[in-house]
Amino acid sequence: MDNQEPIMISALNHYLYCPRRCGLVHVEQVWSENLYTMRGRDMHENVHEDSSHSLAGVRYERALPIWSKRLHLVGKADLVEFHGEIPYPVEYKSGRHKTFQNDYVQLCAQAMCLEEMLGVKVEKGALYWHGSRERKEVVFTDELRGRVEEVAAEVHAMIAEKRLPPPVNDGRCEDCSLKDSCMPGAIANKGMRKKAEMELFTMPHRTEE
């Protein structure tokens, strides 16, 4: 594992949302824009203006580079609030409030990077959904930390093996900017036909009594 190249923290989010999308981006180097990705990119470009200021005893660091040598992760935190010496990461999302695990794992990974970098315990952070103007505090439980480690290992393995996962072919595909490159329906139907053919030729023959 020590010889592994670092991966972007955002890859964990991509993988949990759709492993094939993560593979297309990080293995095949495929990318395409649509309305949703442009909104997200524009929002993060505004958030990622490198700045630092203090207000009411809290220091605010935007676009802070972060990394973990242990997990082989690198990235940039949208915002880190420093309450004294304790960092409090805040991840911005362009859409509305969701409860998908991928956003929580991404935020927790940022916290684990900050812990390793600064040698302090980071117990909490927050997600902010720009579309619904909602902010939710997230507690970094042992279960969530364990999930970060599992997903990081899975993404590293996928990239090392140059493996492209099969399509999910469900509601997630409708608004995906990589739908044309992924071809979820065509590939899923091909897999179903192949399975049906195998079952047809492996069915036991009936014998007459």
Side-chain angles (χ1 to χ4, degrees):
M1 178 141 182
D2 291 338
N3 296 325
Q4 287 181 332
E5 290 294 323
I7 57 173
M8 297 296 295
I9 295 171
S10 58
L12 309 187
N13 190 314
H14 292 161
Y15 186 85
L16 276 174
Y17 183 76
C18 173
R20 185 173 178 84
R21 178 181 174 85
C22 184
L24 286 168
V25 173
H26 297 281
V27 176
E28 302 289 333
Q29 305 297 311
V30 174
W31 184 251
S32 181
E33 292 272 30
N34 67 4
L35 176 63
Y36 301 101
T37 58
M38 286 189 289
R39 283 176 178 172
R41 177 171 50 78
D42 290 345
M43 187 207 68
H44 278 91
E45 283 179 355
N46 293 329
V47 170
H48 280 173
E49 292 180 359
D50 191 356
S51 66
S52 176
H53 70 278
S54 296
L55 181 65
V58 178
R59 189 170 94 251
Y60 297 86
E61 298 282 351
R62 294 186 181 275
L64 183 67
I66 55 178
W67 62 87
S68 168
K69 292 182 179 179
R70 183 175 69 86
L71 296 174
H72 298 271
L73 296 174
V74 294
K76 187 176 286 189
D78 289 342
L79 172 66
V80 180
E81 301 174 359
F82 282 87
H83 301 260
E85 298 300 317
I86 305 302
Y88 184 96
V90 181
E91 173 67 14
Y92 284 72
K93 297 298 177 185
S94 62
R96 301 181 67 82
H97 183 187
K98 308 185 296 292
T99 56
F100 295 144
Q101 187 187 55
N102 51 323
D103 292 342
Y104 293 81
V105 165
Q106 181 180 6
L107 181 66
C108 187
Q110 294 177 5
M112 294 168 73
C113 288
L114 289 164
E115 287 179 334
E116 184 177 325
M117 292 166 56
L118 303 174
V120 297
K121 184 73 170 178
V122 183
E123 297 182 348
K124 296 180 291 185
L127 289 165
Y128 180 80
W129 289 275
H130 188 267
S132 52
R133 300 292 195 274
E134 294 179 77
R135 175 165 163 152
K136 176 180 174 59
E137 186 166 83
V138 178
V139 176
F140 304 127
T141 63
D142 290 342
E143 181 181 5
L144 186 55
R145 292 169 181 272
R147 191 70 182 117
V148 170
E149 301 210 15
E150 290 172 2
V151 177
E154 290 170 9
V155 175
H156 275 297
M158 179 192 69
I159 294 174
E161 297 164 9
K162 294 181 170 53
R163 171 168 41 88
L164 187 60
V168 293
N169 195 32
D170 60 19
R172 286 169 286 183
C173 304
E174 291 305 312
D175 297 321
C176 180
S177 64
L178 302 185
K179 185 176 180 180
D180 290 342
S181 299
C182 176
M183 298 185 294
I187 292 175
N189 290 337
K190 182 178 179 181
M192 291 175 64
R193 286 198 303 270
K194 183 177 291 186
K195 181 180 178 183
E197 289 171 0
M198 290 179 63
E199 290 176 349
L200 176 64
F201 289 108
T202 57
M203 288 178 61
H205 295 288
R206 294 183 60 187
T207 57
E208 295 183 2
E209 296 180 358

